[in-house]
Amino acid sequence: MAIDTTRDLFIYELGILGEMESSGLMMFNFLAHRVTADDLRQIVETEHRECKRREQNINSCAEAIGTSLLATRSSAVEGIYGRFEGFVRLDPSPNMLDQFAVDTMIRFLHITVAAHKTLVDWAIIMGENQCVQCLHTNLVEKQESLAKLERYGHELGTKLLAPAARRA
């Protein structure tokens, strides 16, 4: 596919965003089987469900503009996922694995928030209102998830660091 217009670039980037969510589904599935804290497992499972819905919103956007998503890879998400797989191979303690899982989800959400912001702006400029609605919904939900995860990660980190601070 030649990318000659802004619309072509939008479609290409939308395909990457769709792949980010698809890769995110695999990552969340992997995380759900590795984390040990029950509340964290619930968070991961919730993110997995939301990731599926967000992927559907991206597909709805593509349908609204009369295209299908291009099969593109998201090396950024693959890298985040691969980094977690590598960490698991180090056989970390359950607490450290849980903390790294939270950090992994935060990284994923940051990168997908950035991708959504760009595409929401482009959809607005292009006058693709149905895409704006789908992508903006995803963006707001991702930002809310990110804020919750950052708070959870901070609380978890504080619990893990408190015993070490007392020894010092």
Side-chain angles (χ1 to χ4, degrees), residues 80-139:
I80 292 168
Y81 180 24
R83 203 170 127 171
F84 185 79
E85 287 177 314
F87 187 75
V88 168
R89 285 190 292 272
L90 296 174
D91 195 29
S93 71
N95 287 339
M96 294 303 107
L97 184 82
D98 286 353
Q99 181 68 56
F100 199 77
V102 171
D103 296 344
T104 298
M105 289 187 292
I106 289 170
R107 285 181 189 94
F108 170 76
L109 287 169
H110 270 291
I111 197 162
T112 56
V113 161
H116 273 84
K117 283 181 179 181
T118 299
L119 291 178
V120 167
D121 284 345
W122 290 0
I124 290 169
I125 292 167
M126 293 168 45
E128 296 293 347
N129 294 332
Q130 190 168 350
C131 280
V132 171
Q133 184 179 6
C134 293
L135 297 173
H136 188 263
T137 297
N138 282 3
L139 174 61

Side-chain angles (χ1 to χ4, degrees), residues 154-168:
H154 176 77
E155 292 168 8
L156 181 60
T158 301
K159 288 177 193 173
L160 296 175
L161 291 173
R166 280 188 230 121
R167 286 192 300 262

